[in-house]
Amino acid sequence: MAGIVSYGAYVPMYRLSRAILGQVWGGGGKGEKAICNCDEDSITMAVEAGVDCLKGMDRKSVDALYFASTTAPFKEKQSASIVAAALDLREDIVASDFGNSLRCGTVALKAALDAVKSGSARNVLLVIADCRLPAPNSAYEPLFGDGAAAFLIGASHVVAEIEASYYLTSEFIDVWRLETDRLPRSWEERFILDEGYEAHMKKAFNSFLKARNAKGKDFTRAAFYAPNARSHQAVVKILGLDPKTQVEEPLFDSVGNTGAALAPMTLVAALEGAKPGDKILLGNYGDGADAHALLVTENIAKMKDRRGIKTYLKSKVMLENYGKYLTFRDLMPSEETPMTRPRTSLTAMWRDRNWVYRCHGHHCQKCGKTQFPPQKRCMYCQAEEKFLEEVPLAERKGVLFTYSMDERTAVIDPPNILAAVNLEGEVRIFSQMTDRDVKNIRVGMPMEMTFRRIHDALGVHNYFWKCRPARD
Amino acid sequence: MAESIKDKVAIVGMGCTKFGERWDADIKDMITEAADEACKDAGVELKDIQAIWQGSQWGSQIVEGGVVTGTLVSSTLQTQYIPVTRVENACGTGAESLRGATFALAAKGYDLVMALGVEKCKDMGFGGLPSVWIGRWEPVYGAFGTGPGRYAMAATAYFAKYGLSNDDGKKLLAEISVKSHFYGAKNPKAHLRREVTVEQVLNAPMIAWPLGLFDCCGVTDGASAAILCRTEDAKKYRDDYVTIKAFGMAASPGWGKERIDYDFTYWDATQAAARAAYAEAGIKNPRKELDMVELHDCFSIAELIASESLFLCETGKFKEQMADKRAYYHDGEMPVNISGGLKSFGHPIGASGCREVYEVYKQIQKKAEEPSRQIKDVKLGLAHNQGGHPGKFVCGVTVVGAP
């Protein structure tokens, strides 16, 4: 039976408290929302969730990568191919982007399951990430958060079988962005919540349960999308669920509404607490709705080392102020300076792809030392390139050897921290440090690598690896 | 068979512009100022010069990163079809221009040549140096790595290795900057001419932690020039000429910061260049034998580490042997950067190496611009010039002395 073989999730480190938004715009609001760093986007968050999901898995067995998001960083140019490279997947795979609908994650899930069931793929990696930009001082601003989830879909060693699914497609328009819009537009709230969300969820769940001759109370846990907490409660009521025992809370107070990633992240949270035999009801919404029944197997015990929602929620830094948020999201005009702009070369990036995207270093077969970036001659024993063998380094842990904090570099979030990190296996990486709490950096602290957007020189997103203090 | 360069070539004239933010002068003004002073000092005319080595990283085209050819100098000075070779080794360019001129004389290709270093940095419109390298060489690797950011990593590493608390480490570096400003204030041609206290240094705004404003040199305009001939001809021009005792030049393999065994607390290219120069000049104990050193102190930590890597004190003993004893003052055991150094005299990239030699030349001739800066009886001095960043330096060590 096909289903979820592994799962992972990602919550960015920075959180914006709703109290700060209250101070800026008036009004109250409890809890906080996760927002991605200025060097993160849906591609980098998808990579993070993918890394979490692939822990202990054989990357060579991944025959397809599906990326789902309503906020793909490129309009033309696939995101999935960049995610696949950063995850160091094989080249002879199918990669595809799913987008435009909040439901793109579960639509991609269907495509993944179909591929596995038909035998065209052994395992499909499905990564779902979203970082929707709400208008300042809008109802969506306190609500929207950023995050990602990932599932390895396959037919053997499944931790949760997907027993059945039901899909409903609708031309209903509630929230949209036109081709050049950065910010969402929406129709009247009562219409989009009552006639849109509640009506479609009710129809999809009822049709699904009826066909299976089941009821809401038959499920151990329900994990489904909602635009906000109130609408979520309304559907809990429609399904007749016990809010105390049966409902996986959709992270509104801690992460926010992560759009296409919300239902998938809520499902990861449900799986984190699941036992063999548990039945999970999954639901998603957007341009229709869908419903799924999952059965947790005894393999769930093998998933304990995932960071998932739980660990990533705990590791956080509160954003100091709203101004920082505005600059992170490029919502403010900034002063023009005569400083030179960064440049890039896609030609060079292409030549360097194995280390820029895949984080491969060189291992010298003569002296045994590993080095980054790859070399023409071993930097330790000068052996020729033919003795240098590519090795992946992205997953190696390390410690901070030395660093500096440059206040004057033209980065979005100064100081720019330069770091020398000694990774496992005696390999040194020189890189920028991200996701850091500047007051809590010390030589010797545990570090790890993370895939980030370095700059947007010449109007293209230029990605590479940075280091960050370990988030476990 | 290669021969030693020792004492084969003499410097018979030198010039140096006023260093600073030269809003009044463009690059042509400064080339002319330095060249004219050098010619006058040597008692020669420009038309007597047979070849020129021009050192500049960018010239005046910093932001655009434009290529500077030798015509920058020929068109300014209206030299008539003589060779002008442009050399470049980033901040270590100046030593390279002198070295090219010296070896051409030793090869007897010419009889009278000029070395000139120049940089016009302050036409850019912003403070600091531009990060022109972002995307120039590597689109994303090392992006946003600036000079201060890269040197500051060495300070962090030095503090950690020798168990200095941040406060103690910062104070040690502050004492170096206090000395640099002390001498800059006494030097009429220097860029930064104000004395500072340890407290001022410690309380200054942060540039690249742990380096604050006064740990960093300014961005400076300036030019310097030297007229050289073979030593046998030197007497034709002056009696108090100085001779080149040695050149040590080393380009590091360049992957220090990426090597697990590099700890950022020493400059390997400096050690290599110093060893070569000391061997050529016959120097066994530099601290004893050198009367003065002008070393590459673009940052306070750079002076500390260069002092150790030039073997002016023992490794890890800078505090005890240089700072605590005030050995690096002009009346101390090992005077260092009595000009004010790059830190206070200023650092117009391509001009610095030649300017350092200018200071040694003037000190040997007992012509320090301000008498209170004059070091007693200088016979042998060293100029240390490097380009790049910790782990990836090209370094030139020039030893000059009385014949």
Side-chain angles (χ1 to χ4, degrees):
Chain A
M1 192 75 176
I4 295 167
V5 175
S6 176
Y7 60 80
Y10 178 70
V11 181
M13 190 191 69
Y14 280 115
R15 310 296 150 81
L16 183 64
S17 85
R18 297 199 170 101
I20 283 187
L21 293 173
Q23 282 164 20
V24 176
W25 303 120
K30 63 182 169 83
E32 60 204 38
K33 63 174 198 165
I35 65 152
C36 51
N37 204 334
C38 49
D39 57 3
E40 292 186 289
D41 59 23
S42 292
I43 285 182
T44 66
M45 290 196 296
V47 172
E48 294 278 7
V51 166
D52 196 37
C53 178
L54 289 174
K55 214 169 281 170
M57 298 286 137
D58 177 17
R59 290 181 186 213
K60 289 197 174 64
S61 76
V62 177
D63 292 327
L65 179 109
Y66 296 166
F67 167 84
S69 175
T70 72
T71 49
F74 290 93
K75 200 151 270 174
E76 176 173 343
K77 158 73 198 131
Q78 200 183 52
S79 296
S81 55
I82 294 176
V83 174
L87 289 173
D88 209 14
L89 300 182
R90 292 186 347 251
E91 273 185 332
D92 58 337
I93 63 167
V94 175
S96 183
D97 285 3
F98 290 74
N100 296 12
S101 170
L102 286 183
R103 215 151 54 85
C104 57
T106 41
V107 171
L109 174 65
K110 172 114 176 87
L113 277 172
D114 287 349
V116 167
K117 284 179 186 165
S118 74
S120 84
R122 281 171 296 170
N123 289 305
V124 179
L125 182 63
L126 168 58
V127 288
I128 311 107
D130 234 350
C131 50
R132 291 191 298 160
L133 184 66
N137 198 21
S138 67
Y140 289 143
E141 190 177 43
L143 199 56
F144 284 9
D146 306 328
F151 301 100
L152 191 62
I153 304 299
S156 57
H157 307 290
V158 297
V159 301
E161 284 175 21
I162 299 176
E163 294 183 315
S165 300
Y166 175 86
Y167 283 82
L168 178 78
T169 294
S170 165
E171 68 275 36
F172 190 84
I173 303 182
D174 47 7
V175 182
W176 69 98
R177 274 177 277 145
L178 294 180
E179 204 191 356
T180 53
D181 287 342
R182 286 186 77 202
L183 308 173
R185 304 165 189 265
S186 61
W187 203 253
E188 183 188 356
E189 195 184 39
R190 290 170 65 98
F191 172 70
I192 67 177
L193 294 183
D194 296 355
E195 189 67 11
Y197 173 69
E198 279 180 35
H200 284 80
M201 290 300 269
K202 187 176 175 181
K203 193 171 173 187
F205 273 133
N206 283 346
S207 305
F208 178 61
L209 294 173
K210 198 176 163 195
R212 289 178 59 78
N213 199 18
K215 290 209 158 45
K217 65 175 171 47
D218 301 339
F219 291 90
T220 326
R221 210 89 176 139
F224 57 90
Y225 175 85
N228 59 41
R230 222 180 51 171
S231 298
H232 186 258
Q233 280 164 11
V235 173
V236 167
K237 216 174 256 176
I238 288 167
L239 286 169
L241 300 170
D242 176 4
K244 289 207 180 74
T245 60
Q246 278 186 287
V247 177
E248 190 64 44
E249 286 304 326
L251 310 165
F252 288 125
D253 287 345
S254 52
V255 180
N257 180 343
T258 56
L262 183 60
M265 289 173 76
T266 310
L267 174 60
V268 170
L271 289 168
E272 282 170 359
K275 303 178 300 299
D278 280 1
K279 290 177 177 198
I280 296 176
L281 179 65
L282 170 68
N284 205 3
Y285 171 75
D287 305 281
D290 50 59
H292 314 260
L294 286 80
L295 177 63
V296 177
T297 75
E298 66 281 358
N299 289 327
I300 195 77
K302 293 181 198 155
M303 295 286 109
K304 293 299 171 212
D305 58 349
R306 299 292 178 272
R307 281 186 182 170
I309 302 291
K310 228 180 239 166
T311 305
Y312 274 128
L313 265 186
K314 273 187 271 177
S315 135
K316 65 175 179 181
V317 169
M318 299 306 296
L319 210 63
E320 294 151 38
N321 56 57
Y322 189 68
K324 204 144 208 179
Y325 169 76
L326 288 180
T327 51
F328 273 26
R329 293 286 84 85
D330 195 22
L331 280 165
M332 241 179 17
S334 54
E335 190 186 348
E336 279 294 322
T337 89
M339 276 233 196
T340 35
R341 300 271 175 254
R343 288 189 62 83
T344 190
S345 167
L346 294 177
T347 322
M349 296 272 278
W350 169 245
R351 283 194 300 267
D352 297 342
R353 59 192 179 274
N354 279 10
W355 60 276
V356 167
Y357 293 108
R358 292 178 184 268
C359 201
H360 285 185
H362 262 159
H363 178 77
C364 178
Q365 290 167 305
K366 275 211 161 161
C367 71
K369 297 227 167 58
T370 305
Q371 48 214 288
F372 186 89
Q375 298 289 310
K376 292 286 131 198
R377 296 280 186 278
C378 173
M379 65 168 77
Y380 292 94
C381 76
Q382 294 81 53
E384 287 174 41
E385 202 174 359
K386 64 185 174 191
F387 297 104
L388 302 175
E389 184 183 43
E390 279 192 29
V391 285
L393 299 174
E395 291 215 79
R396 296 199 190 185
K397 305 288 176 196
V399 293
L400 181 59
F401 180 76
T402 186
Y403 69 103
S404 66
M405 302 196 281
D406 190 339
E407 298 282 354
R408 306 270 297 190
T409 313
V411 291
I412 297 166
D413 182 30
N416 183 50
I417 303 192
L418 295 178
V421 174
N422 292 348
L423 296 179
E424 287 162 1
E426 298 271 285
V427 47
R428 164 83 58 81
I429 282 197
F430 170 75
S431 84
Q432 287 177 276
M433 189 193 296
T434 189
D435 285 2
R436 70 288 187 276
D437 176 358
V438 291
K439 290 179 206 80
N440 283 310
I441 299 174
R442 55 183 172 75
V443 167
M445 75 194 292
M447 304 292 289
E448 61 194 16
M449 303 305 293
T450 175
F451 188 69
R452 294 301 164 110
R453 203 147 108 181
I454 305 299
H455 52 67
D456 279 358
L458 301 186
V460 59
H461 303 316
N462 298 278
Y463 297 93
F464 185 48
W465 294 83
K466 290 183 178 180
C467 64
R468 73 166 170 220
R471 281 191 68 188
D472 34 32
Chain B
M1 176 91 179
E3 292 174 21
S4 165
I5 196 74
K6 190 181 178 191
D7 287 327
K8 288 189 172 139
V9 169
I11 302 175
V12 293
M14 287 201 83
C16 180
T17 67
K18 160 82 178 131
F19 274 24
E21 292 175 325
R22 294 290 304 269
W23 313 120
D24 62 311
D26 68 13
I27 194 163
K28 300 190 286 295
D29 293 317
M30 296 189 300
I31 290 170
T32 312
E33 245 179 88
D36 284 355
E37 187 191 332
C39 286
K40 196 173 159 209
D41 184 48
V44 301
E45 289 183 54
L46 203 59
K47 64 176 170 48
D48 303 327
I49 305 292
Q50 295 164 334
I52 297 175
W53 276 260
Q54 167 214 330
S56 49
Q57 183 171 16
W58 296 296
S60 59
Q61 300 300 311
I62 293 185
V63 174
E64 293 79 13
V67 173
V68 181
T69 72
T71 55
L72 175 66
V73 166
S74 65
S75 65
T76 299
L77 299 177
Q78 283 297 297
T79 59
Q80 300 294 311
Y81 307 101
I82 63 167
V84 182
T85 306
R86 181 213 167 200
V87 297
E88 192 271 315
N89 253 335
C91 303
T93 293
E96 200 62 78
S97 63
L98 277 164
R99 182 166 166 269
T102 300
F103 280 90
L105 286 167
K108 301 196 175 173
Y110 309 97
D111 295 319
L112 191 69
V113 303
M114 177 187 285
L116 183 145
V118 63
E119 218 79 56
K120 176 68 187 171
C121 298
K122 291 306 298 179
D123 280 2
M124 297 180 297
F126 53 91
L129 285 175
S131 303
V132 289
W133 43 82
I134 299 174
R136 275 277 158 80
W137 301 313
E138 303 281 6
V140 288
Y141 184 66
F144 304 101
T146 59
R150 291 172 186 275
Y151 271 93
M153 293 175 78
T156 308
Y158 192 94
F159 296 175
K161 181 171 179 178
Y162 295 109
L164 291 165
S165 68
N166 184 47
D167 288 349
D168 289 346
K170 288 273 295 171
K171 187 162 171 293
L172 177 60
L173 296 182
E175 286 167 8
I176 299 170
S177 297
V178 166
K179 179 200 52 137
S180 306
H181 278 257
F182 175 77
Y183 287 115
K186 289 180 186 304
N187 198 337
K189 284 187 173 179
H191 179 180
L192 304 175
R193 302 211 54 213
R194 186 162 68 92
E195 286 189 42
V196 295
T197 63
V198 167
E199 289 67 37
Q200 280 174 304
V201 177
L202 294 178
N203 294 326
M206 199 52 72
I207 297 293
W209 186 95
L211 303 179
L213 180 66
F214 290 114
D215 290 298
C216 308
C217 69
V219 176
T220 307
D221 300 324
S224 54
I227 312 276
L228 303 96
C229 65
R230 272 182 303 284
T231 306
E232 69 249 29
D233 300 330
K235 277 261 193 281
K236 284 199 271 184
Y237 303 101
R238 68 187 316 137
D239 292 329
D240 57 351
Y241 61 88
V242 306
T243 60
I244 304 282
K245 303 292 179 185
F247 273 116
M249 182 70 70
S252 92
W255 295 101
K257 64 190 184 299
E258 288 86 356
R259 275 182 63 145
I260 198 92
D261 53 2
Y262 181 63
D263 72 4
F264 289 79
T265 66
Y266 59 94
W267 305 152
D268 49 335
T270 292
Q271 292 176 339
R275 284 195 184 101
Y278 293 155
E280 186 156 71
I283 295 170
K284 301 270 184 312
N285 182 341
R287 187 179 172 107
K288 239 185 186 159
E289 295 171 56
L290 291 169
D291 301 310
M292 66 175 292
V293 167
E294 283 287 306
L295 59 75
H296 199 94
D297 62 330
C298 41
F299 302 95
S300 52
I301 183 66
E303 172 158 341
L304 188 162
I305 293 181
S307 298
E308 296 188 0
S309 293
L310 288 165
F311 315 110
L312 308 182
C313 63
E314 288 171 75
T315 305
K317 293 280 198 293
F318 181 89
K319 185 178 186 304
E320 295 80 357
Q321 297 177 359
M322 298 297 281
D324 291 352
K325 297 167 89 171
R326 293 170 65 87
Y328 48 27
Y329 276 81
H330 76 287
D331 49 359
E333 204 185 324
M334 182 67 262
V336 173
N337 292 353
I338 305 308
S339 62
L342 277 64
K343 169 73 192 81
S344 288
F345 194 92
H347 181 28
I349 316 297
S352 280
C354 194
R355 194 282 306 161
E356 290 172 332
V357 174
Y358 171 85
E359 172 68 14
V360 182
Y361 171 85
K362 289 289 182 186
Q363 287 279 359
I364 291 172
Q365 294 175 341
K366 298 197 190 311
K367 288 179 186 164
E369 281 84 351
E370 152 74 39
S372 64
R373 246 178 16 87
Q374 181 65 49
I375 305 166
K376 216 175 134 195
D377 212 16
V378 177
K379 290 276 188 293
L380 195 64
L382 178 148
H384 162 255
N385 188 209
Q386 68 189 10
H389 57 254
K392 194 176 194 173
F393 281 125
V394 52
C395 175
V397 168
T398 310
V399 181
V400 296

